[in-house]
Amino acid sequence: MYDSKAYSAASAISPLAPTTISRREPAASDVQIEILYCGICHSDLHQVRDEWNAVMPAVYPVVPGHEIVGRVTKAGSAVTGFRPGDLAAVGCLVDSDGTCQQCLDGFEQFCPNATFTYNAPDKHTGGVTYGGYSDSIVVDERFVLRVPANLDLAGVAPLLCAGITTYSPLRHWGVSAGMKVGVVGLGGLGHMGVKFAHAFGAHVVVLSTSPGKRDDARRLGADEVVISTDAAEMEKHAGSFDFILDTVAVVHDVNAYVQLLKRDGTLTLVGAPVDPHAVSAFGLLFGRKSIAGSLIGGIAETQEMLDFCGAHGITADVEVIPIQKVNEAYERLLKSDVKYRFSIDMASLKEG
Ligand code: NAP
Ligand code: ZN
């Protein structure tokens, strides 16, 4: 074991604070990565504040962070794909059983024995996994991603969660030219959804509660912006969407978006409030509409997404912050004040 600097939360009401954690020495199949940037996902806030207690209770101290990019410092003897000095990235998963049907089909995220990057039982240490708000991490090579060399690293980090979580459902539901696609919520996930849907050729409409984000939405690739609190504006789009991706982190009226779908349209939820949404059956019946969900993406698809980003020059729009500003960043997330992902410059961790 070796010491690694990190930021952790001691309880649901504690701010994140500096700490030292123990990491395992890399075994034969492991890659050790010096973390350069880590994105701040709203899921980090849900977990740190134990908002997901009913589904995934937090085990404190929590070291969050699952949008990790850095440089390889050591590679175990059996590692074939990485060498010290290579760029490398890690997302929401660090292990799975590799043998179940989900894993065989490339859906490691649905493996019943998947290990999430933080706050999950760690078979190596007997404790819990610690995430990327840290200067170093050790991960089995199967869960380490290759990073295209042409991209800005601070903007690459968020691709590992916000990127794949939006890329995967847009691909699964076949978003392409000729389709009208809505993205609800212009935050970390939403802004990546806009970039991908635009890159796939769709007509993209941002559905936002924030009138101040209109210009940014267009710059990011939206063809239209609808302020979702304006009933008249919403009504103009009734029955017109093929697909809507809903990234909102709190319980809200999903029926307002179902009524925007065409016949056979789908509203896919990726936002993850723990309390249930109220769904009107009638809203679905008339038009044979669907509400669906989607969880990150498998490892092969995550690599495909990174390669797509490399080929198309896509990264997240980030506000780079030192880790000392992480608690302030969480408060801003709660106010929908993020443009459009915080990316922590991990060099700041050296300062304490
Ligand atoms: P975020 O950056 O905070 O963005 C959420 C956006 O939702 C806000 O910027 C805001 O956009 C909108 N919003 C906020 N409050 C709202 C309200 N009361 N009504 C309507 N819209 C509201 O969060 P994020 O990091 O993108 O994460 C979003 C959610 O996805 C979280 O619940 C997170 O846990 C979840 N998540 C799920 C997965 C998965 O695999 N399914 C992966 C990662 C994250 P506007 O200002 O434009 O309205
Ligand atoms: Zn995330």
Side-chain angles (χ1 to χ4, degrees):
M1 303 289 276
Y2 69 96
D3 284 350
S4 180
K5 283 189 169 187
Y7 261 53
S8 71
S11 78
I13 53 166
S14 312
L16 287 148
T19 187
T20 300
I21 55 171
S22 290
R23 299 282 194 191
R24 69 178 187 269
E25 290 293 342
S29 63
D30 284 337
V31 177
Q32 183 192 52
I33 300 165
E34 178 197 0
I35 301 174
L36 299 176
Y37 293 95
C38 183
I40 297 181
C41 180
H42 206 115
S43 303
D44 300 347
L45 189 155
H46 287 311
Q47 289 258 274
V48 159
R49 301 197 177 173
D50 211 12
E51 292 171 1
W52 286 348
N53 180 275
V55 184
M56 306 176 159
V59 180
Y60 294 98
V62 173
V63 176
H66 56 207
E67 295 186 333
I68 298 167
V69 68
R71 221 169 255 293
V72 175
T73 41
K74 272 187 204 166
S77 56
V79 170
T80 56
F82 294 91
R83 284 186 306 192
D86 287 350
L87 292 175
V90 178
C92 302
L93 298 166
V94 289
D95 205 1
S96 71
D97 61 31
T99 55
C100 72
Q101 198 58 50
Q102 305 286 4
C103 286
L104 296 176
D105 291 344
F107 295 114
E108 294 88 351
Q109 74 272 36
F110 303 131
C111 169
N113 299 306
T115 303
F116 290 97
T117 303
Y118 63 84
N119 199 50
D122 186 337
K123 71 179 183 195
H124 300 277
T125 65
V128 290
T129 52
Y130 293 134
Y133 296 10
S134 166
D135 58 7
S136 166
I137 194 165
V138 176
V139 177
D140 187 290
E141 179 184 15
R142 289 194 298 129
F143 291 85
V144 181
L145 287 305
R146 290 180 308 282
V147 178
N150 58 320
L151 300 177
D152 167 62
L153 291 184
V156 165
L159 301 177
L160 278 299
C161 177
I164 185 60
T165 301
T166 50
Y167 181 94
S168 182
L170 292 171
R171 282 294 197 215
H172 180 73
W173 275 277
V175 165
S176 54
M179 289 174 78
K180 180 171 172 181
V181 171
V183 176
V184 186
L186 196 66
L189 266 57
H191 96 289
M192 289 311 307
V194 170
K195 290 190 184 207
F196 286 131
H198 175 74
F200 299 163
H203 180 86
V204 185
V205 182
V206 164
L207 300 147
S208 174
T209 59
S210 304
K213 294 182 183 174
R214 267 186 203 280
D215 291 347
D216 283 345
R218 286 187 176 275
R219 181 180 53 77
L220 292 163
D223 298 287
E224 295 180 71
V225 183
V226 172
I227 302 307
S228 52
T229 48
D230 181 331
E233 241 188 285
M234 288 284 276
E235 184 53 34
K236 278 188 212 150
H237 291 265
S240 67
F241 284 84
D242 296 282
F243 181 76
I244 300 177
L245 189 66
D246 184 335
T247 75
V248 177
V250 294
V251 171
H252 59 287
D253 180 19
V254 293
N255 306 296
Y257 302 109
V258 169
Q259 65 104 16
L260 301 186
L261 293 169
K262 278 183 187 164
R263 186 191 71 222
D264 291 321
T266 301
L267 172 74
T268 294
L269 305 176
V270 285
V274 83
D275 292 326
H277 291 303
V279 173
S280 156
F282 275 83
L284 297 171
L285 304 183
F286 284 88
R288 199 166 52 187
K289 298 171 183 179
S290 304
I291 296 182
S294 189
L295 179 73
I296 47 176
I299 294 301
E301 193 177 36
T302 304
Q303 189 64 60
E304 174 192 309
M305 178 274 307
L306 285 168
D307 295 345
F308 180 90
C309 289
H312 293 82
I314 294 174
T315 52
D317 280 32
V318 290
E319 189 175 331
V320 178
I321 59 162
I323 197 153
Q324 292 77 8
K325 292 227 163 145
V326 68
N327 294 302
E328 203 179 298
Y330 276 29
E331 292 310 313
R332 285 182 52 194
L333 267 191
L334 289 172
K335 292 185 214 145
S336 304
D337 176 22
V338 48
K339 292 190 171 44
Y340 277 85
R341 196 60 141 184
F342 293 107
S343 186
I344 305 168
D345 180 352
M346 224 38 88
S348 60
L349 200 49
K350 296 189 176 73
E351 292 152 27

